[in-house]
Amino acid sequence: MINIKDLSFSYGKLKVFQNFNLDVPEGEVCLITGINGVGKSTLLRLMAKVLRPAAGEIVFDEKMGQDPRYKIGFISDVLSLYESMTVAQSIDFHKSVYNLSRFDDSLIRHTKIGLDQKIKELSTGQKTILHLSLILSTEPEILLIDEIIHSIDAYLRRVFLEQLIQLQSERQLTIIMVNLNFHDIEHMVERVILLKAGKIAVDENIESLKARVKKVISAAPPQFVPVLSRIDFTDHSEFFVYPYEEKLKSKIEGEVVDLDLTEIVSAFIGGEYA
Amino acid sequence: MLKKEISDSLKTFILCSLLFLGVPLGYALDKLIIHFGWTLSEIFNFMYLMTLIAFPLAAGLTIFQWEKKDRAFEYLFSLPLSRFQILMYKFLPKLVILLILIIASTFFKVYVNIWTNGFNLVVLFLISMVLSISFTSSSLAVIGVAFFFYVYYTGSRIIMIFTGWDPGKSFPHSTLTTVLHNMLTAALLLIPLGTAFWLTFKKMDVRPLKLQMKSYYLIVLPTLVIFITFIIVFFKKYLNSMQ
């Protein structure tokens, strides 16, 4: 669905990506993560075509048409909209650009957003829901969602995620998310990509990742398996190991514990800061 | 999008039209304090002229006002619109309002020659538009536009002298010649400036603007230097022709 070939991009002298390659197949729910400033949002912006690569290209599936932006829904972390407009004006504007004859505003009504309210008066959560409604009205094939879910309240987050899950099951959308908070989305994600210094450090299916990243609780560092990061306590330490193999279990001293997605990503990110 | 841009252009016009509040104020000032004997129509014509100058300046400089103010460039660039479409949607409504204002001015004695002054107002609008992306401060932008317009105006006078035509003697009968000289100067100035603007806007993305202005300055600054050199070399001749 999305094929990134030899992509290079920089902000002035700051090189973010050099010869970066990534392939995202149709219908995949993919999570991009990494430490702050590694280029997660930049990568999403490049896919959304609001940033232009210095070299290389991003190729979309033929069914996306000549201008893939018709079929890409992008919600950025800054929630860029015309804030001076009212909600109704914003809907009209979006409809006119995409030549839409109708607009399903049920999600907006459901979340008590007034059509006469100015966008700048809306809360972050309401803006996110409005943005999602605008995007979904165009029936996108690809959804690019930047780190926004954690900044909205629990109810709106549930509404937002329920919409995503419903769409994913109905229409096999390709969803690429950038996030550092995974509790809400763990059950949706199929693939995890960890960026490090402008390259892909980890690119694994979530089940495989859960099998290969473990926490070892022991007094000394475990042998036979590389340690990503560690947390020291007074009487013991927790070692996050990768790549772990089940056959090593008998050789490792200490308790081997399964991790959820948040802990796995924290382990990798902890290793970056170590 | 056109609807939004028409609405934005009308808002700019309404804002500039506030200058007409100066008509009753000026009249009251004259009657009560300064006693210059201004008539209502004289004050109205003056304020119309001020509006005619203010509108192209404001319309050009604020062409990306809402995108900058609302931080909506990211949203705008994510929409399936080509850069040419975006520019045309923004440019055409403002140009139409300006042309209506210029045509309407023929009903009043705002200035002597609609062709030359009307053309100069369109040039003012275009200069303001092409300079709009290079300034973050609006007061600096106004000074910048005024400077570029002075360069254009003086340049066109010097080109007239250079081509052996004396504007002082043949005016007002050679409107066509004046307009042709103005068009030549505008082309010499606006083609490079417009190219710089278009090349920058065509490739523009959501990176900080200062990282995207290299090609713009590489074209605009040499153009300005050439024009200023031209003016300095022939300025004495220009001053003599003014006397």
Side-chain angles (χ1 to χ4, degrees), chain A residues 214-271:
Chain A
K214 299 285 176 188
K215 179 165 74 178
V216 178
I217 302 170
S218 69
Q223 291 182 318
F224 313 112
V225 61
V227 175
L228 281 175
S229 57
R230 60 188 282 174
I231 302 173
D232 293 322
F233 297 94
T234 48
D235 56 340
H236 72 281
S237 295
E238 290 180 354
F239 299 93
F240 297 91
V241 297
Y242 172 82
Y244 170 83
E245 286 175 58
E246 202 56 38
K247 63 183 179 188
L248 297 171
K249 195 169 184 177
S250 56
K251 294 181 183 175
I252 293 173
E253 284 180 26
E255 187 190 352
V256 178
V257 180
D258 290 340
L259 300 174
D260 65 18
L261 186 57
T262 306
E263 290 169 314
I264 290 171
V265 175
S266 299
F268 278 108
I269 292 176

Side-chain angles (χ1 to χ4, degrees), chain A residues 31-228:
Chain A
L31 175 77
I32 298 174
T33 190
I35 60 168
N36 286 335
V38 78
K40 306 180 294 289
S41 299
T42 299
L43 185 59
L44 227 55
R45 285 185 169 90
L46 284 159
M47 290 187 218
K49 292 187 166 282
V50 298
L51 280 176
R52 285 169 189 259
E57 57 179 345
I58 301 175
V59 182
F60 292 89
D61 195 288
E62 274 181 9
K63 75 174 189 180
M64 297 283 285
Q66 261 197 331
D67 189 345
R69 291 177 301 178
Y70 271 107
K71 292 288 171 192
I72 295 176
F74 172 51
I75 303 182
S76 83
D77 53 347
V78 292
L79 282 174
S80 173
L81 284 169
Y82 284 104
E83 302 235 329
S84 314
M85 282 185 182
T86 63
V87 173
Q89 285 169 336
S90 184
I91 292 169
D92 273 351
F93 178 78
H94 206 78
K95 275 171 71 182
S96 73
V97 171
Y98 284 89
N99 292 322
L100 302 173
S101 53
R102 57 180 206 89
F103 181 86
D104 179 10
D105 62 357
S106 55
L107 197 57
I108 291 174
R109 288 179 194 282
H110 183 65
T111 46
K112 309 270 183 216
I113 299 172
L115 290 175
D116 294 330
Q117 266 183 288
K118 289 231 174 191
I119 293 176
K120 62 184 164 198
E121 293 164 2
L122 302 179
S123 69
T124 306
Q126 287 175 317
K127 275 185 213 170
T128 310
I129 295 294
L130 170 63
H131 208 146
L132 184 69
S133 299
L134 292 174
I135 281 167
L136 297 185
S137 68
T138 65
E139 300 192 342
E141 298 283 343
I142 298 172
L143 271 183
L144 305 172
I145 305 167
D146 208 342
E147 208 166 343
I148 197 71
I149 302 171
H150 66 276
S151 61
I152 59 182
D153 67 49
Y155 174 74
L156 291 178
R157 191 158 62 232
R158 207 188 77 204
V159 172
F160 182 91
L161 290 168
E162 275 172 3
Q163 276 288 321
L164 283 192
I165 292 163
Q166 191 187 338
L167 276 165
Q168 169 59 13
S169 61
E170 281 173 4
R171 291 181 31 214
Q172 282 295 294
L173 281 181
T174 306
I175 303 178
I176 302 174
M177 286 185 272
V178 162
N179 216 319
L180 289 172
N181 190 339
F182 313 102
H183 288 296
D184 301 307
I185 55 167
E186 186 167 345
H187 56 290
M188 286 180 70
V189 174
E190 295 168 71
R191 179 181 175 190
V192 178
I193 294 168
L194 179 90
L195 298 181
K196 183 180 178 181
K199 304 265 181 214
I200 295 175
V202 177
D203 181 359
E204 289 208 38
N205 173 286
I206 192 159
E207 294 311 321
S208 145
L209 200 62
K210 281 183 174 178
R212 280 152 57 87
V213 186
K214 299 285 176 188
K215 179 165 74 178
V216 178
I217 302 170
S218 69
Q223 291 182 318
F224 313 112
V225 61
V227 175
L228 281 175

Side-chain angles (χ1 to χ4, degrees), chain A residues 45 76 80 82 84 94, chain B residues 67 70-71 74-75 81 205:
Chain A
R45 285 185 169 90
S76 83
S80 173
Y82 284 104
S84 314
H94 206 78
Chain B
E67 284 76 17
D70 292 349
R71 294 184 302 162
E74 192 155 276
Y75 174 60
L81 295 167
D205 57 27

Side-chain angles (χ1 to χ4, degrees), chain B residues 45-56:
Chain B
N45 288 345
F46 179 73
M47 287 305 166
Y48 197 111
L49 180 64
M50 289 296 107
T51 309
L52 267 173
I53 295 167
F55 179 74

Side-chain angles (χ1 to χ4, degrees), chain B residues 41 44-45 48 100-111 114:
Chain B
S41 68
F44 176 84
N45 288 345
Y48 197 111
I100 292 169
L101 273 173
I102 292 169
I103 292 163
S105 71
T106 54
F107 296 107
F108 317 104
K109 288 178 183 169
V110 177
Y111 39 59
I114 186 177

